[in-house]
Amino acid sequence: PLCLCWALSPAAAATANIVLLLMDDMGWGDLGAFGEPSKETPNLDQMAAEGMLFLDFYTASPLCSPSRAALLTGRLPVRNGFYTTNGHARNAYTPQDIVGGIPDSELLLPELLKKAGYTNKIIGKWHLGHRPQFHPLRHGFDEWFGSPNCHFGPYDSTERPNIPVYRDWEMAGRYYEDFKIDLKTGEANLTQLYLQEALDFISKQQASQQPFFLYWAIDATHAPVYASKQFLGTSQRGLYGDAVREIDDSVGKILKHLQQLGISENTFVFFTSDNGAALISAPKQGGSNGPFLCGKQTTFEGGMREPAIAWWPGHIPAGGVSHQLGSVMDLFSTSLSLAGLQPPSDRQIDGIDLLPVILQGKLIDRPIFYYRGNELMAVRAGLYKAHYWTWSNSWEEHGKGIDFCPGQSVAGVTTHTQEEHTHLPLLFHLGRDPGEKYPLSFASEEYQRAVEHISGLVQQHKATLVPGQPQLNVCDQAVMNWSPPGCEKLGKCLKAPESDPKKCSWPH
């Protein structure tokens, strides 16, 4: 095992501010820096030119909520409880009738950063449970402006209530009613609100000389996609591109603000996405996964490989490109390292500290585990990826026009039944074949060598794996956002139906 013991450079020894910019369903192929042809992301491309591009950076789940739970705990969803055992290898997320959420036993990044005197703010989507015990301010955040669930809707408030938007402990209104999203035109000014929240928070923290952690988890690129008026109709890519352009503009303003306040050299900024582009919503409401196979919901590269950029002027050499296998869970360990803290030693942490990679150009040998629900679907080690199970989505769903791999059928790979390959894994060399189109021959020496190595890693992983209590098994209409805290002040409380807990059903 590699020793990760190393001395922080004196410049990094002071506690750095941390800004994590987490996009929603943004694909690897959505940024100019990653080859998007219309080159409509000048600010993010500039961020990459001034910082470091990660070309092999992964999420921990091909779905919103488990990947967010993994980022904030540094642990795989199968460990932190963000999975289901209802049906094998099901992707479960947190709709508003889910009963579970982030367990109290999990230690979240903001809780730990508090020990080093950080003030922590979440802007945007939480998605780690919406019942009172799961509120982000109970789990280490000091401030919140955003929503517990996705901006789906509008709902009719009899079967399903519209999703609330919170200001700290209490709701400030609901999507579509008080926070408008025009489903015909795609107009909404939410990204502008989220930008202003970020700029105000940074100014306030700079004035108080407190180190801060800003988690900017915005959702304009998640269907229904939206952008504010001045960006509508400005992209060659339609409404989705308009949303990306507005995000790009906002990121540029956040970075410029850090520079103008003179704190950019003391602020570590990382940009990535929660999972791959949702091809089910493409092309009008979904992004691009570049050369990769399939998209969100799947454990093919398009579902789990993310755009990623690290920026820290004066520390990260400009124009860097890293082939380090990275994970959103590494943002947990790296952030703790920036704060001079050690990760908790009483539990398995899956994230690694990326500072030696970012500051010294090191490469740390580590596998990437691709989970879907409670099943280990695939493993990457070096340039090889072995699939132990394949499944894009069921024939039944596919027959309804739900397709996670549109235009990308690869025989024997993008399967519509759950196919087990545990005895003879499907093996791809991602250097030569990033699109996972050409499985290596089972008879080749290359296949045998790579599979033997990966099988050892899988055995080691499974031997020590203690799955957490599954949080995403039970649904109940009575726990939906009927009367969030603060609803009485706004006259926004709705009457909840009788409690009727059921097993959640997950078609994917």
Side-chain angles (χ1 to χ4, degrees):
L2 277 160
C3 174
L4 296 184
C5 335
W6 61 293
L8 265 169
S9 66
T15 327
N17 303 314
I18 299 158
V19 178
L20 301 183
L21 307 168
L22 184 71
M23 302 304 105
D24 205 331
D25 294 2
M26 191 180 271
W28 195 92
D30 278 337
L31 306 184
F34 285 85
E36 199 287 311
S38 55
K39 291 273 186 280
E40 292 178 344
T41 52
N43 295 291
L44 285 159
D45 300 350
Q46 179 71 19
M47 181 185 182
E50 293 171 7
M52 179 177 273
L53 212 52
F54 280 83
L55 298 177
D56 298 84
F57 195 84
Y58 290 88
T59 183
S61 164
L63 216 60
C64 316
S65 28
S67 63
R68 289 156 197 268
L71 186 157
L72 289 172
T73 60
R75 286 152 57 77
L76 284 162
V78 72
R79 295 193 214 273
N80 64 36
F82 265 69
Y83 70 101
T84 182
T85 52
N86 296 353
H88 172 250
R90 301 281 165 176
N91 266 333
Y93 64 108
T94 52
Q96 57 164 331
D97 54 353
I98 203 91
V99 170
I102 194 70
D104 276 342
S105 55
E106 290 298 320
L107 284 171
L108 272 61
L109 177 58
E111 292 176 71
L112 297 165
L113 290 175
K114 270 186 158 350
K115 295 178 181 168
Y118 279 70
T119 303
N120 310 310
K121 178 156 188 157
I122 169 174
I123 297 172
K125 187 161 101 180
W126 167 241
H127 227 187
L128 267 58
H130 60 278
R131 297 168 70 206
Q133 65 267 42
F134 307 127
H135 192 294
L137 270 58
R138 284 194 200 279
H139 293 271
F141 283 103
D142 300 293
E143 297 180 24
W144 181 25
F145 179 74
S147 167
N149 307 79
C150 209
H151 60 279
F152 281 156
Y155 295 122
D156 60 9
S157 291
T158 52
E159 295 288 310
R160 284 173 186 274
N162 268 324
I163 304 296
V165 174
Y166 278 76
R167 159 83 57 207
D168 300 334
W169 286 108
E170 297 189 336
M171 74 181 280
R174 293 184 190 268
Y175 282 129
Y176 297 96
E177 298 165 21
D178 313 280
F179 294 89
K180 304 278 192 253
I181 302 171
D182 187 322
L183 289 176
K184 282 199 188 72
T185 64
E187 186 184 339
N189 70 342
L190 288 161
T191 302
Q192 293 304 310
L193 294 181
Y194 293 148
L195 168 61
Q196 200 52 53
E197 287 288 322
L199 300 177
D200 292 349
F201 175 72
I202 291 167
S203 297
K204 191 171 79 180
Q205 292 317 120
Q206 192 265 341
S208 72
Q209 303 287 297
Q210 285 288 104
F212 64 85
F213 166 44
L214 172 59
Y215 175 49
W216 200 63
I218 62 162
D219 63 2
T221 41
H222 187 299
V225 170
Y226 60 80
S228 55
K229 194 164 194 155
Q230 73 258 42
F231 289 93
L232 287 178
T234 63
S235 167
Q236 294 187 35
R237 306 178 65 198
L239 179 58
Y240 183 86
D242 297 341
V244 172
R245 291 204 60 205
E246 183 167 16
I247 287 168
D248 177 74
D249 181 76
S250 301
V251 171
K253 286 180 170 144
I254 289 170
L255 300 185
K256 195 172 177 193
H257 193 56
L258 293 167
Q259 284 167 325
Q260 287 170 339
L261 291 174
I263 54 172
S264 58
E265 295 206 359
N266 195 30
T267 306
F268 175 85
V269 184
F270 200 96
F271 176 96
T272 190
S273 176
D274 63 348
N275 46 250
L279 299 185
I280 183 175
S281 315
K284 291 193 171 165
Q285 298 261 329
S288 159
N289 295 313
F292 302 122
L293 186 61
C294 301
K296 178 179 178 173
Q297 302 265 16
T298 76
T299 49
F300 300 110
E301 290 298 283
M304 296 199 44
R305 205 190 294 203
E306 303 311 320
I309 305 167
W311 184 86
W312 190 12
H315 302 269
I316 298 176
V321 172
S322 178
H323 290 283
Q324 172 64 44
L325 297 192
S327 161
V328 292
M329 298 180 289
D330 302 344
L331 299 176
F332 174 88
S333 305
T334 306
S335 297
L336 291 178
S337 183
L338 287 161
L341 299 168
Q342 292 295 320
S345 55
D346 63 342
R347 61 200 60 209
Q348 179 69 45
I349 300 294
D350 296 292
I352 62 171
D353 178 5
L354 291 175
L355 287 186
V357 175
I358 292 168
L359 301 177
Q360 300 159 357
K362 295 215 163 138
L363 280 177
I364 299 164
D365 187 24
R366 63 91 75 88
I368 293 291
F369 296 109
Y370 302 68
Y371 270 88
R372 183 159 163 166
N374 53 347
E375 184 60 73
L376 180 61
M377 303 288 284
V379 179
R380 177 173 174 183
L383 287 166
Y384 292 100
K385 179 178 178 184
H387 288 268
Y388 290 92
W389 286 86
T390 50
W391 188 36
S392 54
N393 64 332
S394 68
W395 280 117
E396 187 192 354
E397 290 283 297
H398 194 252
K400 294 179 192 163
I402 294 170
D403 192 352
F404 301 144
C405 312
Q408 283 190 307
S409 175
V410 180
V413 179
T414 53
T415 54
H416 292 293
T417 48
Q418 297 183 7
E419 298 290 334
E420 185 170 5
H421 309 277
T422 44
H423 299 304
L424 270 182
L426 286 184
L427 186 73
F428 295 93
H429 184 289
L430 294 177
R432 301 192 295 259
D433 175 26
E436 295 169 284
K437 290 182 176 66
Y438 310 102
L440 271 71
S441 156
F442 297 139
S444 68
E445 210 178 302
E446 184 185 11
Y447 176 93
Q448 283 156 2
R449 216 176 35 243
V451 165
E452 193 178 340
H453 174 57
I454 294 176
S455 299
L457 297 170
V458 171
Q459 276 169 339
Q460 223 175 334
H461 172 68
K462 289 196 164 171
T464 59
L465 182 71
V466 182
Q469 192 66 35
Q471 294 294 312
L472 308 182
N473 279 354
V474 182
C475 288
D476 185 352
Q477 284 207 301
V479 307
M480 294 201 287
N481 293 288
W482 300 104
S483 49
C487 67
E488 56 293 331
K489 292 182 194 167
L490 301 172
K492 290 265 170 195
C493 304
L494 301 168
K495 191 176 174 345
E498 289 291 298
S499 177
D500 182 19
K502 291 186 169 71
K503 263 177 97 162
C504 304
S505 120
W506 307 103
H508 312 315

